Structures are given as structure tokens and as C-alpha cells.
Amino acid sequence: MTSIIPYTHWAYFPDEDGARRCAQDLPDFVTRVRAVVDDDRWLLLAGRDVAIDHMVERHGEVEAIVERHGGDYDGGEANYLGTGQPVADPLLVDDEGGGS
């Protein structure tokens, strides 16, 4: 049986338009776009549930989409509670109106 966990990819863009266009090319993800504090770049967070067995492939797919839109892919991560239970990235679920 394949384990499924919530996983968030991080990418940085030189402008907001590039980040938002990239988010549109990730329709099966929950996305948030926000300005980076003390920086001219924009951050795109893209999260979804993923099968652990397919994480490497998903990294490659997301990285290619990010680069096609002029962004820098910064990898991804899964968040875990103190009990070891994976949870959705709080930056994706606790953001009311601050993203795409």
C-alpha cells in the first residue's frame, strides 16, 4: 500500500506575474503567491497530497514547470505534527485571501 502525505513545493520568481502564471499551470495544487519580505522576489507555494513512492517524479515535474515560467525551484517539504502525523502546510491552509 502506498502512503499519501501532504507535500508543499517552494519556488521564487522575479515578478508576481510569473509566479501567478506558474500557479495556473499547477491546477491540481493548492497555491499561494506572496511577496518575499525584504526582497524583490515573489514566493509560490504549491501543495497537494502525494504518494511517497512518486515524490521524486513530482519534484521533477514541478521543477520543470517552475523553470519554464522563469522561477527558481527551491525543493519541497512535508510538515509533521509532534506525533509524526503528516499535516498540510499551515501557510497554505491558514492564509485567508493572501494567495492565488
Side-chain angles (χ1 to χ4, degrees):
M1 184 171 137
T2 301
S3 294
I4 305 290
I5 62 169
Y7 195 83
T8 302
H9 299 271
W10 292 60
Y12 294 90
F13 292 83
D15 58 58
E16 182 179 8
D17 288 341
R20 293 203 182 277
R21 281 192 305 274
C22 184
Q24 290 175 347
D25 273 357
L26 298 167
D28 57 338
F29 287 80
V30 173
T31 60
R32 298 288 182 262
V33 173
R34 59 176 51 99
V36 177
V37 177
D38 297 328
D39 196 331
D40 291 337
R41 298 180 302 164
W42 287 80
L43 170 64
L44 167 63
L45 299 171
R48 64 168 282 183
D49 289 346
V50 63
I52 292 174
D53 296 347
H54 297 104
M55 286 174 99
V56 172
E57 292 131 37
R58 289 304 282 180
H59 268 271
E61 292 169 7
V62 174
E63 183 174 17
I65 293 168
V66 166
E67 290 175 352
R68 188 170 62 237
H69 287 282
D72 294 317
Y73 182 69
D74 195 27
E77 65 185 356
N79 290 297
Y80 292 88
L81 296 173
T83 61
Q85 179 71 24
V87 295
D89 188 331
L91 291 174
L92 293 174
V93 296
D94 292 343
D95 186 13
E96 297 296 325
S100 38

Short mmCIF file of all heavy atoms in Angstrom, two decimals, residues 11-25 31-36 39-45 66 69-72 95 97-100:
data_model
loop_
_atom_site.label_atom_id
_atom_site.label_comp_id
_atom_site.label_asym_id
_atom_site.label_seq_id
_atom_site.Cartn_x
_atom_site.Cartn_y
_atom_site.Cartn_z
N ALA A 11 8.92 27.86 -4.65
CA ALA A 11 9.60 28.42 -5.82
C ALA A 11 9.61 29.94 -5.71
O ALA A 11 8.68 30.55 -5.17
CB ALA A 11 8.90 27.99 -7.10
N TYR A 12 10.66 30.55 -6.22
CA TYR A 12 10.83 32.00 -6.17
C TYR A 12 10.87 32.56 -7.59
O TYR A 12 11.47 31.96 -8.48
CB TYR A 12 12.12 32.37 -5.43
CG TYR A 12 12.06 32.00 -3.97
CD1 TYR A 12 12.49 30.75 -3.54
CD2 TYR A 12 11.54 32.88 -3.05
CE1 TYR A 12 12.41 30.40 -2.20
CE2 TYR A 12 11.46 32.54 -1.70
CZ TYR A 12 11.90 31.30 -1.30
OH TYR A 12 11.82 30.96 0.03
N PHE A 13 10.23 33.73 -7.76
CA PHE A 13 10.11 34.36 -9.07
C PHE A 13 10.53 35.82 -8.99
O PHE A 13 10.33 36.47 -7.96
CB PHE A 13 8.65 34.28 -9.55
CG PHE A 13 8.23 32.88 -9.87
CD1 PHE A 13 7.79 32.03 -8.87
CD2 PHE A 13 8.28 32.41 -11.17
CE1 PHE A 13 7.42 30.73 -9.16
CE2 PHE A 13 7.91 31.11 -11.47
CZ PHE A 13 7.47 30.27 -10.46
N PRO A 14 11.05 36.37 -10.10
CA PRO A 14 11.44 37.77 -10.10
C PRO A 14 10.25 38.73 -10.11
O PRO A 14 10.41 39.92 -9.78
CB PRO A 14 12.28 37.92 -11.37
CG PRO A 14 11.87 36.79 -12.25
CD PRO A 14 11.41 35.68 -11.34
N ASP A 15 9.07 38.23 -10.48
CA ASP A 15 7.90 39.11 -10.51
C ASP A 15 6.63 38.32 -10.18
O ASP A 15 6.58 37.10 -10.31
CB ASP A 15 7.75 39.82 -11.86
CG ASP A 15 7.66 38.86 -13.02
OD1 ASP A 15 6.75 38.01 -13.03
OD2 ASP A 15 8.49 38.96 -13.94
N GLU A 16 5.61 39.05 -9.77
CA GLU A 16 4.35 38.42 -9.38
C GLU A 16 3.67 37.74 -10.55
O GLU A 16 3.10 36.65 -10.40
CB GLU A 16 3.43 39.49 -8.78
CG GLU A 16 2.11 38.94 -8.30
CD GLU A 16 1.19 39.98 -7.69
OE1 GLU A 16 1.51 41.19 -7.76
OE2 GLU A 16 0.15 39.58 -7.14
N ASP A 17 3.72 38.35 -11.73
CA ASP A 17 3.05 37.76 -12.89
C ASP A 17 3.58 36.37 -13.22
O ASP A 17 2.81 35.45 -13.52
CB ASP A 17 3.18 38.67 -14.12
CG ASP A 17 2.34 39.92 -14.02
OD1 ASP A 17 1.38 39.94 -13.21
OD2 ASP A 17 2.63 40.89 -14.74
N GLY A 18 4.90 36.20 -13.17
CA GLY A 18 5.49 34.89 -13.44
C GLY A 18 5.03 33.85 -12.43
O GLY A 18 4.72 32.71 -12.79
N ALA A 19 4.98 34.24 -11.16
CA ALA A 19 4.54 33.32 -10.11
C ALA A 19 3.08 32.93 -10.33
O ALA A 19 2.71 31.76 -10.18
CB ALA A 19 4.73 33.97 -8.75
N ARG A 20 2.24 33.88 -10.68
CA ARG A 20 0.82 33.58 -10.88
C ARG A 20 0.58 32.74 -12.14
O ARG A 20 -0.28 31.85 -12.14
CB ARG A 20 0.01 34.86 -10.91
CG ARG A 20 0.03 35.55 -9.54
CD ARG A 20 -1.13 36.47 -9.32
NE ARG A 20 -1.01 37.11 -8.03
CZ ARG A 20 -1.40 36.57 -6.87
NH1 ARG A 20 -1.95 35.37 -6.86
NH2 ARG A 20 -1.24 37.21 -5.74
N ARG A 21 1.34 32.99 -13.20
CA ARG A 21 1.22 32.15 -14.40
C ARG A 21 1.63 30.71 -14.08
O ARG A 21 1.00 29.76 -14.52
CB ARG A 21 2.06 32.71 -15.54
CG ARG A 21 1.42 33.88 -16.26
CD ARG A 21 2.14 34.23 -17.55
NE ARG A 21 3.56 34.50 -17.35
CZ ARG A 21 4.09 35.67 -17.02
NH1 ARG A 21 3.30 36.71 -16.84
NH2 ARG A 21 5.39 35.81 -16.87
N CYS A 22 2.69 30.55 -13.30
CA CYS A 22 3.13 29.22 -12.91
C CYS A 22 2.05 28.53 -12.08
O CYS A 22 1.74 27.36 -12.30
CB CYS A 22 4.43 29.30 -12.12
SG CYS A 22 5.11 27.68 -11.70
N ALA A 23 1.44 29.26 -11.15
CA ALA A 23 0.37 28.69 -10.32
C ALA A 23 -0.78 28.18 -11.20
O ALA A 23 -1.37 27.13 -10.90
CB ALA A 23 -0.13 29.72 -9.31
N GLN A 24 -1.07 28.88 -12.28
CA GLN A 24 -2.14 28.44 -13.18
C GLN A 24 -1.79 27.12 -13.88
O GLN A 24 -2.67 26.36 -14.25
CB GLN A 24 -2.43 29.52 -14.23
CG GLN A 24 -3.09 30.73 -13.64
CD GLN A 24 -3.27 31.84 -14.66
OE1 GLN A 24 -2.70 31.82 -15.75
NE2 GLN A 24 -4.05 32.84 -14.30
N ASP A 25 -0.49 26.85 -14.04
CA ASP A 25 -0.05 25.60 -14.66
C ASP A 25 0.03 24.45 -13.65
O ASP A 25 0.48 23.37 -14.00
CB ASP A 25 1.30 25.78 -15.34
CG ASP A 25 1.17 26.28 -16.76
OD1 ASP A 25 0.03 26.43 -17.24
OD2 ASP A 25 2.22 26.50 -17.41
N THR A 31 -2.38 26.65 -4.19
CA THR A 31 -1.25 27.56 -4.37
C THR A 31 -1.46 28.86 -3.60
O THR A 31 -2.59 29.29 -3.38
CB THR A 31 -1.02 27.89 -5.85
OG1 THR A 31 -2.19 28.50 -6.39
CG2 THR A 31 -0.67 26.63 -6.65
N ARG A 32 -0.35 29.45 -3.22
CA ARG A 32 -0.32 30.78 -2.61
C ARG A 32 0.85 31.53 -3.21
O ARG A 32 1.94 30.97 -3.34
CB ARG A 32 -0.14 30.71 -1.09
CG ARG A 32 -1.26 30.01 -0.34
CD ARG A 32 -2.54 30.84 -0.32
NE ARG A 32 -3.58 30.19 0.43
CZ ARG A 32 -4.55 29.45 -0.09
NH1 ARG A 32 -4.62 29.25 -1.38
NH2 ARG A 32 -5.47 28.90 0.68
N VAL A 33 0.61 32.79 -3.57
CA VAL A 33 1.66 33.66 -4.09
C VAL A 33 1.74 34.86 -3.16
O VAL A 33 0.72 35.47 -2.84
CB VAL A 33 1.34 34.12 -5.54
CG1 VAL A 33 2.34 35.16 -6.01
CG2 VAL A 33 1.32 32.93 -6.48
N ARG A 34 2.95 35.19 -2.74
CA ARG A 34 3.13 36.35 -1.86
C ARG A 34 4.49 36.97 -2.08
O ARG A 34 5.44 36.28 -2.48
CB ARG A 34 2.94 35.96 -0.40
CG ARG A 34 3.88 34.89 0.09
CD ARG A 34 3.72 34.60 1.58
NE ARG A 34 2.36 34.35 1.97
CZ ARG A 34 1.82 33.17 2.16
NH1 ARG A 34 2.54 32.09 1.99
NH2 ARG A 34 0.58 33.02 2.51
N ALA A 35 4.58 38.26 -1.80
CA ALA A 35 5.85 38.97 -1.88
C ALA A 35 6.77 38.47 -0.77
O ALA A 35 6.32 38.15 0.33
CB ALA A 35 5.63 40.47 -1.74
N VAL A 36 8.06 38.38 -1.06
CA VAL A 36 9.05 38.00 -0.07
C VAL A 36 9.47 39.26 0.68
O VAL A 36 9.84 40.25 0.06
CB VAL A 36 10.27 37.33 -0.73
CG1 VAL A 36 11.33 36.99 0.30
CG2 VAL A 36 9.84 36.09 -1.51
N ASP A 39 12.89 41.63 0.04
CA ASP A 39 13.43 41.03 -1.17
C ASP A 39 12.50 41.46 -2.31
O ASP A 39 11.34 41.77 -2.10
CB ASP A 39 13.43 39.50 -1.03
CG ASP A 39 14.31 38.81 -2.06
OD1 ASP A 39 14.48 39.35 -3.16
OD2 ASP A 39 14.81 37.72 -1.75
N ASP A 40 13.02 41.48 -3.52
CA ASP A 40 12.20 41.86 -4.68
C ASP A 40 11.51 40.66 -5.31
O ASP A 40 10.80 40.80 -6.30
CB ASP A 40 13.06 42.54 -5.75
CG ASP A 40 13.55 43.90 -5.30
OD1 ASP A 40 12.92 44.51 -4.42
OD2 ASP A 40 14.58 44.36 -5.85
N ARG A 41 11.70 39.47 -4.77
CA ARG A 41 11.16 38.26 -5.38
C ARG A 41 9.77 37.95 -4.84
O ARG A 41 9.31 38.51 -3.86
CB ARG A 41 12.08 37.07 -5.12
CG ARG A 41 13.45 37.25 -5.72
CD ARG A 41 14.34 36.06 -5.45
NE ARG A 41 14.48 35.83 -4.02
CZ ARG A 41 14.94 34.71 -3.48
NH1 ARG A 41 15.31 33.71 -4.25
NH2 ARG A 41 15.03 34.57 -2.17
N TRP A 42 9.13 37.01 -5.54
CA TRP A 42 7.80 36.51 -5.15
C TRP A 42 7.91 35.02 -4.89
O TRP A 42 8.59 34.29 -5.61
CB TRP A 42 6.79 36.79 -6.26
CG TRP A 42 6.46 38.23 -6.31
CD1 TRP A 42 7.20 39.23 -6.88
CD2 TRP A 42 5.33 38.86 -5.73
NE1 TRP A 42 6.59 40.44 -6.68
CE2 TRP A 42 5.44 40.25 -5.98
CE3 TRP A 42 4.23 38.39 -5.02
CZ2 TRP A 42 4.48 41.14 -5.55
CZ3 TRP A 42 3.28 39.30 -4.59
CH2 TRP A 42 3.41 40.66 -4.86
N LEU A 43 7.22 34.56 -3.85
CA LEU A 43 7.22 33.16 -3.45
C LEU A 43 5.93 32.49 -3.92
O LEU A 43 4.84 33.03 -3.73
CB LEU A 43 7.31 33.05 -1.93
CG LEU A 43 7.09 31.67 -1.31
CD1 LEU A 43 8.18 30.70 -1.75
CD2 LEU A 43 7.03 31.78 0.21
N LEU A 44 6.08 31.33 -4.52
CA LEU A 44 4.94 30.48 -4.86
C LEU A 44 5.04 29.22 -4.01
O LEU A 44 6.07 28.53 -4.03
CB LEU A 44 4.97 30.09 -6.34
CG LEU A 44 4.02 28.96 -6.77
CD1 LEU A 44 2.56 29.35 -6.55
CD2 LEU A 44 4.28 28.56 -8.20
N LEU A 45 4.00 28.95 -3.24
CA LEU A 45 3.87 27.69 -2.52
C LEU A 45 2.82 26.87 -3.26
O LEU A 45 1.75 27.39 -3.61
CB LEU A 45 3.38 27.94 -1.09
CG LEU A 45 4.28 28.79 -0.20
CD1 LEU A 45 3.56 29.13 1.10
CD2 LEU A 45 5.58 28.05 0.08
N VAL A 66 8.14 25.26 -13.01
CA VAL A 66 8.65 26.48 -12.39
C VAL A 66 9.70 27.13 -13.30
O VAL A 66 9.64 28.34 -13.57
CB VAL A 66 9.24 26.18 -11.00
CG1 VAL A 66 10.07 27.34 -10.48
CG2 VAL A 66 8.13 25.83 -10.01
N HIS A 69 8.54 28.98 -16.32
CA HIS A 69 7.97 30.29 -16.04
C HIS A 69 8.99 31.27 -15.47
O HIS A 69 8.63 32.34 -14.97
CB HIS A 69 6.79 30.14 -15.07
CG HIS A 69 5.59 29.54 -15.74
ND1 HIS A 69 4.75 30.27 -16.55
CD2 HIS A 69 5.11 28.28 -15.74
CE1 HIS A 69 3.79 29.49 -17.01
NE2 HIS A 69 3.99 28.27 -16.54
N GLY A 70 10.28 30.92 -15.53
CA GLY A 70 11.34 31.83 -15.11
C GLY A 70 11.61 31.84 -13.62
O GLY A 70 12.25 32.77 -13.11
N GLY A 71 11.15 30.82 -12.90
CA GLY A 71 11.34 30.77 -11.45
C GLY A 71 12.50 29.88 -11.05
O GLY A 71 13.07 29.15 -11.86
N ASP A 72 12.85 29.98 -9.78
CA ASP A 72 13.87 29.13 -9.17
C ASP A 72 13.18 28.16 -8.22
O ASP A 72 12.57 28.58 -7.23
CB ASP A 72 14.88 29.97 -8.38
CG ASP A 72 15.69 30.89 -9.27
OD1 ASP A 72 16.13 30.43 -10.35
OD2 ASP A 72 15.88 32.06 -8.91
N ASP A 95 -4.05 30.75 5.33
CA ASP A 95 -3.92 32.01 4.61
C ASP A 95 -5.26 32.40 4.02
O ASP A 95 -5.70 31.82 3.04
CB ASP A 95 -2.87 31.87 3.52
CG ASP A 95 -2.56 33.17 2.82
OD1 ASP A 95 -2.97 34.22 3.32
OD2 ASP A 95 -1.90 33.12 1.78
N GLY A 97 -7.17 34.75 1.90
CA GLY A 97 -7.16 35.83 0.92
C GLY A 97 -5.79 36.33 0.56
O GLY A 97 -5.67 37.30 -0.17
N GLY A 98 -4.72 35.70 0.99
CA GLY A 98 -3.40 36.21 0.68
C GLY A 98 -2.72 35.51 -0.45
O GLY A 98 -1.55 35.74 -0.70
N GLY A 99 -3.42 34.67 -1.19
CA GLY A 99 -2.75 33.92 -2.25
C GLY A 99 -3.60 33.81 -3.47
O GLY A 99 -4.55 34.54 -3.67
N SER A 100 -3.20 32.87 -4.32
CA SER A 100 -3.96 32.71 -5.56
C SER A 100 -5.01 31.64 -5.40
O SER A 100 -5.06 30.90 -4.50
CB SER A 100 -3.05 32.35 -6.71
OG SER A 100 -2.01 31.52 -6.44
#
